[in-house]
Amino acid sequence: DAGVIQSPRHEVTEMGQEVTLRCKPISGHDYLFWYRQTMMRGLELLIYFNNNVPIDDSGMPEDRFSAKMPNASFSTLKIQPSEPRDSAVYFCASSSHRDRVSGANVLTFGAGSRLTVL
Amino acid sequence: GEDVEQSLFLSVREGDSSVINCTYTDSSSTYLYWYKQEPGAGLQLLTYIFSNMDMKQDQRLTVLLNKKDKHLSLRIADTQTGDSAIYFCAVLTGGGNKLTFGTGTQLKVEL
């Protein structure tokens, strides 16, 4: 398995532009998580899906952020309009309910998308 | 919500043991994890421990859990330069779905 695949790896954009980050989870995983990592706030959970359905989006900073999971193999995180304070590394992670039989909920992370908003 | 705290930096000599510490606040946490992040990469699971265990050993890694004090530690024996990375403690909360991460400890291994 290729693991969790994220694109783009790096994105530089100007304030006000729309940004779309993409994630392909591990095949067979039914949970998908979006995290944001910054120096100031560390790793924050933004939203997670179970079987393509958003379960908890309480970490989404504001209405400028939206996430979708149209099918089991693809998810997007969109920021519109982007602002300089959105600059961060955005991680996607997935896990399987089969892992959760033991209760351990082992997340596999992608390599991240580094976003810079000028 | 859950708070997970770690010290920011640790520097050790190659061959020595490293001990990375973590404290958390939610006593109902069921699983606790250690992840490693190398520069420019995602987080990689190192090990995890169930809350009814005191210790778990996995090759060079030893995890100690003091549930009374809500303190978790990761000991790396015979630390190598390849162990230089950021180490994150994480705690499972929110009904078993949410992982709350600590701030991360940057481990620097010197020759």
Side-chain angles (χ1 to χ4, degrees), chain A residues 9 37 48 56 100 102-104, chain B residues 31 33 37 40 96-99:
Chain A
R9 289 295 313 277
Q37 185 180 34
Y48 78 91
D56 185 346
R100 292 165 55 78
S102 68
Chain B
Y31 282 88
Y33 306 75
Q37 184 180 31
N97 293 322
K98 287 187 178 182
L99 270 189

Side-chain angles (χ1 to χ4, degrees), chain A residues 24-77:
Chain A
K24 182 180 185 326
I26 289 175
S27 177
H29 279 191
D30 53 349
Y31 284 83
L32 184 140
F33 303 80
W34 282 100
Y35 280 86
R36 177 172 69 175
Q37 185 180 34
T38 60
M39 289 293 293
M40 292 297 295
R41 301 173 68 92
L43 269 163
E44 304 171 277
L45 176 64
L46 301 178
I47 185 171
Y48 78 91
F49 296 81
N50 176 220
N51 291 323
N52 315 338
V53 176
I55 302 300
D56 185 346
D57 65 355
S58 59
M60 295 286 262
E62 46 199 276
D63 291 346
R64 298 183 298 107
F65 285 69
S66 63
K68 293 182 181 178
M69 192 165 185
N71 57 61
S73 58
F74 184 65
S75 177
T76 59
L77 178 67

Side-chain angles (χ1 to χ4, degrees), chain A residues 101-118:
Chain A
V101 169
S102 68
N105 196 11
V106 175
L107 269 63
T108 302
F109 280 79
S113 294
R114 181 176 293 277
L115 172 65
T116 303
V117 183
L118 303 174

Side-chain angles (χ1 to χ4, degrees), chain B residues 22-24 66-72:
Chain B
C22 171
T23 57
Y24 59 98
N66 182 328
K67 201 173 176 186
K68 174 175 166 288
D69 294 339
K70 302 192 194 68
H71 182 267
L72 182 74

